[in-house]
Amino acid sequence: DRARKQELQSEDLEEVFLPLRDAPYLDYFLSCKIYVAFEDGVLAGFIGFRPGSLNFIYVDPTHQNKGIATELIKKVLTELERPVRLEVFTDNERAKTLYRKFGFERVNTITEKWSDEFPVVFSQDTMELR
């Protein structure tokens, strides 16, 4: 939850944050194949994916900048057939730099509102690895 909150805060979307256990996409998340990373016995991050897509990747802020996300992505990319797509907030340059390191390229950008309950406008890029 801390990593998701960090991501949303960086986009001025804090008001839409919900803990994962309460999120409307929890069932979708649980339908993904999920790998977790531990550091010193503590859950440090996770990645969720489905055929053709990386759907969730989060590393707890206290464990960032240690190569955990890189290792999770490396593992998953050995299992996924190309092309592989992902979505990322347009202004999340830190994440996009990581994805570009693996060869992902932006193929589309959309701007939309979050929901009727939270009519906040945001922009996200679709990136693809061929």
mmCIF file of all heavy atoms in Angstrom, residues 15-17 22-23 29 31 33-34 45-46 51 59 65 69 77-78 80 85-86 88-89 119 125:
data_model
loop_
_atom_site.group_PDB
_atom_site.id
_atom_site.type_symbol
_atom_site.label_atom_id
_atom_site.label_comp_id
_atom_site.label_asym_id
_atom_site.label_seq_id
_atom_site.Cartn_x
_atom_site.Cartn_y
_atom_site.Cartn_z
ATOM 1 N N GLU A 15 -6.246 11.394 -3.296
ATOM 2 C CA GLU A 15 -7.641 11.225 -2.899
ATOM 3 C C GLU A 15 -8.271 9.935 -3.424
ATOM 4 O O GLU A 15 -9.285 9.496 -2.899
ATOM 5 C CB GLU A 15 -8.479 12.429 -3.333
ATOM 6 C CG GLU A 15 -8.638 12.567 -4.841
ATOM 7 C CD GLU A 15 -9.304 13.864 -5.235
ATOM 8 O OE1 GLU A 15 -10.551 13.935 -5.192
ATOM 9 O OE2 GLU A 15 -8.577 14.792 -5.595
ATOM 10 N N VAL A 16 -7.673 9.288 -4.418
ATOM 11 C CA VAL A 16 -8.255 8.054 -4.955
ATOM 12 C C VAL A 16 -7.666 6.805 -4.302
ATOM 13 O O VAL A 16 -8.094 5.691 -4.597
ATOM 14 C CB VAL A 16 -8.111 7.961 -6.494
ATOM 15 C CG1 VAL A 16 -8.740 9.174 -7.165
ATOM 16 C CG2 VAL A 16 -6.673 7.791 -6.911
ATOM 17 N N PHE A 17 -6.691 6.985 -3.401
ATOM 18 C CA PHE A 17 -6.037 5.831 -2.789
ATOM 19 C C PHE A 17 -7.010 5.012 -1.947
ATOM 20 O O PHE A 17 -7.795 5.535 -1.167
ATOM 21 C CB PHE A 17 -4.872 6.261 -1.896
ATOM 22 C CG PHE A 17 -4.293 5.120 -1.112
ATOM 23 C CD1 PHE A 17 -3.441 4.213 -1.730
ATOM 24 C CD2 PHE A 17 -4.634 4.911 0.210
ATOM 25 C CE1 PHE A 17 -2.932 3.129 -1.032
ATOM 26 C CE2 PHE A 17 -4.128 3.839 0.921
ATOM 27 C CZ PHE A 17 -3.268 2.944 0.299
ATOM 28 N N ASP A 22 -9.199 -3.236 -0.104
ATOM 29 C CA ASP A 22 -10.481 -2.574 -0.362
ATOM 30 C C ASP A 22 -10.636 -2.109 -1.800
ATOM 31 O O ASP A 22 -11.674 -1.568 -2.164
ATOM 32 C CB ASP A 22 -10.629 -1.344 0.551
ATOM 33 C CG ASP A 22 -10.587 -1.713 2.020
ATOM 34 O OD1 ASP A 22 -11.030 -2.817 2.374
ATOM 35 O OD2 ASP A 22 -10.093 -0.881 2.816
ATOM 36 N N ALA A 23 -9.610 -2.280 -2.605
ATOM 37 C CA ALA A 23 -9.622 -1.752 -3.968
ATOM 38 C C ALA A 23 -10.597 -2.518 -4.853
ATOM 39 O O ALA A 23 -10.709 -3.741 -4.749
ATOM 40 C CB ALA A 23 -8.217 -1.810 -4.557
ATOM 41 N N PHE A 29 -6.410 -8.223 -9.587
ATOM 42 C CA PHE A 29 -5.044 -8.416 -9.102
ATOM 43 C C PHE A 29 -4.809 -9.881 -8.735
ATOM 44 O O PHE A 29 -3.803 -10.477 -9.129
ATOM 45 C CB PHE A 29 -4.775 -7.508 -7.898
ATOM 46 C CG PHE A 29 -3.492 -7.822 -7.182
ATOM 47 C CD1 PHE A 29 -2.265 -7.541 -7.768
ATOM 48 C CD2 PHE A 29 -3.508 -8.394 -5.919
ATOM 49 C CE1 PHE A 29 -1.083 -7.830 -7.109
ATOM 50 C CE2 PHE A 29 -2.334 -8.681 -5.253
ATOM 51 C CZ PHE A 29 -1.118 -8.401 -5.852
ATOM 52 N N SER A 31 -6.197 -12.428 -9.847
ATOM 53 C CA SER A 31 -6.262 -13.320 -11.011
ATOM 54 C C SER A 31 -4.936 -13.323 -11.781
ATOM 55 O O SER A 31 -4.753 -14.126 -12.692
ATOM 56 C CB SER A 31 -7.407 -12.918 -11.938
ATOM 57 O OG SER A 31 -7.099 -11.730 -12.650
ATOM 58 N N LYS A 33 -0.757 -13.786 -12.188
ATOM 59 C CA LYS A 33 0.328 -14.552 -11.601
ATOM 60 C C LYS A 33 1.179 -13.542 -10.844
ATOM 61 O O LYS A 33 1.492 -12.470 -11.376
ATOM 62 C CB LYS A 33 1.143 -15.256 -12.677
ATOM 63 C CG LYS A 33 2.176 -16.207 -12.120
ATOM 64 C CD LYS A 33 2.769 -17.075 -13.217
ATOM 65 C CE LYS A 33 3.725 -18.105 -12.627
ATOM 66 N NZ LYS A 33 4.276 -18.966 -13.690
ATOM 67 N N ILE A 34 1.526 -13.839 -9.608
ATOM 68 C CA ILE A 34 2.199 -12.873 -8.752
ATOM 69 C C ILE A 34 3.495 -13.464 -8.216
ATOM 70 O O ILE A 34 3.524 -14.600 -7.734
ATOM 71 C CB ILE A 34 1.287 -12.475 -7.567
ATOM 72 C CG1 ILE A 34 -0.015 -11.873 -8.089
ATOM 73 C CG2 ILE A 34 2.016 -11.511 -6.628
ATOM 74 C CD1 ILE A 34 -1.091 -11.719 -7.032
ATOM 75 N N GLY A 45 8.461 -6.145 -2.223
ATOM 76 C CA GLY A 45 7.769 -5.750 -3.446
ATOM 77 C C GLY A 45 7.109 -6.929 -4.105
ATOM 78 O O GLY A 45 7.263 -8.072 -3.670
ATOM 79 N N PHE A 46 6.363 -6.639 -5.163
ATOM 80 C CA PHE A 46 5.701 -7.702 -5.911
ATOM 81 C C PHE A 46 5.450 -7.257 -7.337
ATOM 82 O O PHE A 46 5.478 -6.072 -7.655
ATOM 83 C CB PHE A 46 4.388 -8.126 -5.249
ATOM 84 C CG PHE A 46 3.345 -7.044 -5.183
ATOM 85 C CD1 PHE A 46 2.498 -6.790 -6.252
ATOM 86 C CD2 PHE A 46 3.195 -6.291 -4.030
ATOM 87 C CE1 PHE A 46 1.533 -5.798 -6.194
ATOM 88 C CE2 PHE A 46 2.232 -5.294 -3.954
ATOM 89 C CZ PHE A 46 1.398 -5.053 -5.032
ATOM 90 N N PRO A 51 -0.738 -13.101 -19.378
ATOM 91 C CA PRO A 51 -0.164 -13.232 -20.720
ATOM 92 C C PRO A 51 -0.226 -11.899 -21.468
ATOM 93 O O PRO A 51 -1.274 -11.262 -21.554
ATOM 94 C CB PRO A 51 -1.051 -14.289 -21.384
ATOM 95 C CG PRO A 51 -1.538 -15.127 -20.235
ATOM 96 C CD PRO A 51 -1.735 -14.145 -19.102
ATOM 97 N N VAL A 59 7.305 -1.665 -5.305
ATOM 98 C CA VAL A 59 8.348 -1.929 -4.320
ATOM 99 C C VAL A 59 8.142 -0.918 -3.192
ATOM 100 O O VAL A 59 8.011 0.286 -3.444
ATOM 101 C CB VAL A 59 9.758 -1.800 -4.928
ATOM 102 C CG1 VAL A 59 10.824 -1.962 -3.855
ATOM 103 C CG2 VAL A 59 9.955 -2.828 -6.039
ATOM 104 N N ASN A 65 15.390 1.406 -4.871
ATOM 105 C CA ASN A 65 16.769 1.705 -5.293
ATOM 106 C C ASN A 65 17.760 0.617 -4.906
ATOM 107 O O ASN A 65 18.931 0.889 -4.684
ATOM 108 C CB ASN A 65 17.236 3.068 -4.747
ATOM 109 C CG ASN A 65 16.347 4.192 -5.219
ATOM 110 O OD1 ASN A 65 16.053 4.293 -6.402
ATOM 111 N ND2 ASN A 65 15.896 5.005 -4.299
ATOM 112 N N ALA A 69 12.892 -4.096 -8.261
ATOM 113 C CA ALA A 69 11.988 -4.017 -9.419
ATOM 114 C C ALA A 69 12.657 -4.593 -10.657
ATOM 115 O O ALA A 69 12.025 -5.319 -11.438
ATOM 116 C CB ALA A 69 11.562 -2.572 -9.665
ATOM 117 N N LEU A 77 9.829 -11.368 -17.506
ATOM 118 C CA LEU A 77 10.048 -11.309 -18.953
ATOM 119 C C LEU A 77 10.575 -12.628 -19.513
ATOM 120 O O LEU A 77 10.441 -12.872 -20.715
ATOM 121 C CB LEU A 77 10.973 -10.155 -19.318
ATOM 122 C CG LEU A 77 10.363 -8.762 -19.127
ATOM 123 C CD1 LEU A 77 11.363 -7.680 -19.527
ATOM 124 C CD2 LEU A 77 9.054 -8.611 -19.896
ATOM 125 N N THR A 78 11.139 -13.490 -18.674
ATOM 126 C CA THR A 78 11.548 -14.812 -19.156
ATOM 127 C C THR A 78 10.344 -15.711 -19.405
ATOM 128 O O THR A 78 10.460 -16.716 -20.093
ATOM 129 C CB THR A 78 12.499 -15.518 -18.157
ATOM 130 O OG1 THR A 78 11.795 -15.802 -16.955
ATOM 131 C CG2 THR A 78 13.735 -14.694 -17.895
ATOM 132 N N LEU A 80 7.081 -14.371 -20.361
ATOM 133 C CA LEU A 80 6.061 -13.769 -21.224
ATOM 134 C C LEU A 80 6.478 -13.746 -22.678
ATOM 135 O O LEU A 80 7.599 -13.370 -23.007
ATOM 136 C CB LEU A 80 5.765 -12.340 -20.767
ATOM 137 C CG LEU A 80 5.035 -12.195 -19.446
ATOM 138 C CD1 LEU A 80 4.933 -10.719 -19.062
ATOM 139 C CD2 LEU A 80 3.650 -12.813 -19.525
ATOM 140 N N ARG A 85 2.760 -5.567 -22.832
ATOM 141 C CA ARG A 85 2.300 -4.189 -22.622
ATOM 142 C C ARG A 85 2.187 -3.883 -21.135
ATOM 143 O O ARG A 85 2.009 -4.773 -20.313
ATOM 144 C CB ARG A 85 0.936 -3.968 -23.274
ATOM 145 C CG ARG A 85 1.043 -3.860 -24.769
ATOM 146 C CD ARG A 85 -0.282 -3.468 -25.392
ATOM 147 N NE ARG A 85 -0.036 -3.087 -26.771
ATOM 148 C CZ ARG A 85 -0.584 -2.056 -27.363
ATOM 149 N NH1 ARG A 85 -1.436 -1.301 -26.716
ATOM 150 N NH2 ARG A 85 -0.302 -1.774 -28.607
ATOM 151 N N LEU A 86 2.251 -2.599 -20.832
ATOM 152 C CA LEU A 86 2.014 -2.116 -19.476
ATOM 153 C C LEU A 86 1.488 -0.700 -19.568
ATOM 154 O O LEU A 86 1.602 -0.052 -20.614
ATOM 155 C CB LEU A 86 3.293 -2.173 -18.629
ATOM 156 C CG LEU A 86 4.504 -1.375 -19.093
ATOM 157 C CD1 LEU A 86 4.442 0.092 -18.658
ATOM 158 C CD2 LEU A 86 5.764 -2.001 -18.533
ATOM 159 N N VAL A 88 1.453 3.077 -17.447
ATOM 160 C CA VAL A 88 2.186 3.838 -16.443
ATOM 161 C C VAL A 88 1.727 5.285 -16.532
ATOM 162 O O VAL A 88 1.434 5.782 -17.624
ATOM 163 C CB VAL A 88 3.714 3.695 -16.671
ATOM 164 C CG1 VAL A 88 4.125 4.192 -18.037
ATOM 165 C CG2 VAL A 88 4.517 4.379 -15.573
ATOM 166 N N PHE A 89 1.646 5.959 -15.376
ATOM 167 C CA PHE A 89 1.302 7.377 -15.405
ATOM 168 C C PHE A 89 2.294 8.108 -16.296
ATOM 169 O O PHE A 89 3.502 7.874 -16.229
ATOM 170 C CB PHE A 89 1.332 7.988 -14.003
ATOM 171 C CG PHE A 89 0.176 7.565 -13.131
ATOM 172 C CD1 PHE A 89 0.402 6.975 -11.903
ATOM 173 C CD2 PHE A 89 -1.131 7.783 -13.524
ATOM 174 C CE1 PHE A 89 -0.647 6.594 -11.089
ATOM 175 C CE2 PHE A 89 -2.199 7.403 -12.718
ATOM 176 C CZ PHE A 89 -1.951 6.809 -11.491
ATOM 177 N N PRO A 119 -13.730 12.442 -9.995
ATOM 178 C CA PRO A 119 -13.569 12.916 -11.384
ATOM 179 C C PRO A 119 -12.249 13.654 -11.629
ATOM 180 O O PRO A 119 -12.209 14.675 -12.297
ATOM 181 C CB PRO A 119 -14.779 13.828 -11.561
ATOM 182 C CG PRO A 119 -15.067 14.350 -10.195
ATOM 183 C CD PRO A 119 -14.697 13.235 -9.241
ATOM 184 N N ASP A 125 0.446 6.397 -20.068
ATOM 185 C CA ASP A 125 1.036 5.876 -21.290
ATOM 186 C C ASP A 125 0.915 4.368 -21.325
ATOM 187 O O ASP A 125 1.045 3.706 -20.296
ATOM 188 C CB ASP A 125 2.538 6.212 -21.365
ATOM 189 C CG ASP A 125 2.828 7.684 -21.546
ATOM 190 O OD1 ASP A 125 1.888 8.443 -21.873
ATOM 191 O OD2 ASP A 125 3.989 8.079 -21.354
#
